[in-house]
Amino acid sequence: NAGVTQTPKFQVLKTGQSMTLQCAQDMNHEYMSWYRQDPGMGLRLIHYSVGAGITDQGEVPNGYNVSRSTTEDFPLRLLSAAPSQTSVYFCASSHWEAGANVLTFGAGSRLTVL
Amino acid sequence: GEDVEQSLFLSVREGDSSVINCTYTDSSSTYLYWYKQEPGAGLQLLTYIFSNMDMKQDQRLTVLLNKKDKHLSLRIADTQTGDSAIYFCAEGSGNTGKLIFGQGTTLQVKP
């Protein structure tokens, strides 16, 4: 049981380049989300999805696109990378437990934009 | 908007109790969570508490919730060096499922 798998683990981009961070889960969870982690700022929600075909914006969605064509996959696209997007990105899938939204996180993807 | 605040750093001696504090602003939060992040890893759920509860205990962990003051704390009894990590509190809305995280508290445990 792999849980939540993120690829790549590390990536260096030049300003203006595009890329996709992949996220896959094998727990059949409906709810998935993307966070970015920056020093002193904790985790901030970028986008989330409550099920296949449905996505919504979080706190910091600008510069990022998502899609959810299957239950398993929730890729995060950077259309034109900027140095401000240098961060560690975490994907999470979650299930409901007596009303609580219990997140399972991937190991993270460290992105550097030069 | 919603906001969650934590102190950034806590240092304790091995065997002592650790208390990590958190304040939040959203009075409609239905659940509050504690996550642990070890170096180079993702976050792992430690425990959560329903907003109608005052306390929850799980082995060495005790969560206290003061809903009136919007204050949450995590007490770790008999703290061990393996407890050294970053601890995040988060508030969640029942409607959307979104979690808002604090900045994280780095717990340093000295032998």
Side-chain angles (χ1 to χ4, degrees), chain B residues 3-21:
Chain B
D3 194 22
V4 180
E5 296 284 336
Q6 298 178 242
S7 54
L8 295 182
F9 186 78
L10 176 65
S11 181
V12 300
R13 291 259 174 226
E14 191 173 18
D16 288 348
S17 291
S18 306
V19 180
I20 301 170
N21 294 302

Side-chain angles (χ1 to χ4, degrees), chain A residues 7-84:
Chain A
T7 56
K9 290 194 187 313
F10 301 95
Q11 183 73 49
V12 179
L13 290 178
K14 293 181 180 177
T15 297
Q17 287 185 316
S18 62
M19 78 156 299
T20 299
L21 298 177
Q22 302 290 346
C23 176
Q25 54 97 2
D26 61 359
M27 297 173 284
N28 202 31
H29 288 165
E30 293 293 329
Y31 200 108
M32 295 186 75
S33 46
W34 275 103
Y35 288 84
R36 58 178 289 174
Q37 183 178 23
D38 301 292
M41 302 190 74
L43 274 75
R44 291 180 291 169
L45 180 64
I46 304 171
H47 285 285
Y48 66 100
S49 168
V50 299
I54 305 169
T55 64
D56 208 344
Q57 296 181 350
E59 301 170 82
V60 288
N62 292 340
Y64 307 95
N65 276 357
V66 291
S67 59
R68 186 92 181 272
S69 55
T70 67
T71 299
E72 294 78 19
D73 299 298
F74 191 42
L76 178 72
R77 295 184 186 85
L78 284 71
L79 302 176
S80 178
S84 61

Side-chain angles (χ1 to χ4, degrees), chain B residues 14-52:
Chain B
E14 191 173 18
D16 288 348
S17 291
S18 306
V19 180
I20 301 170
N21 294 302
C22 171
T23 57
Y24 61 98
T25 58
D26 188 359
S27 57
S28 67
S29 295
T30 51
Y31 280 90
L32 295 126
Y33 305 80
W34 283 104
Y35 279 83
K36 177 183 180 182
Q37 183 183 33
E38 295 184 353
L43 280 71
Q44 293 177 291
L45 178 69
L46 285 177
T47 187
Y48 59 84
I49 186 168
F50 184 49
S51 59
N52 279 355

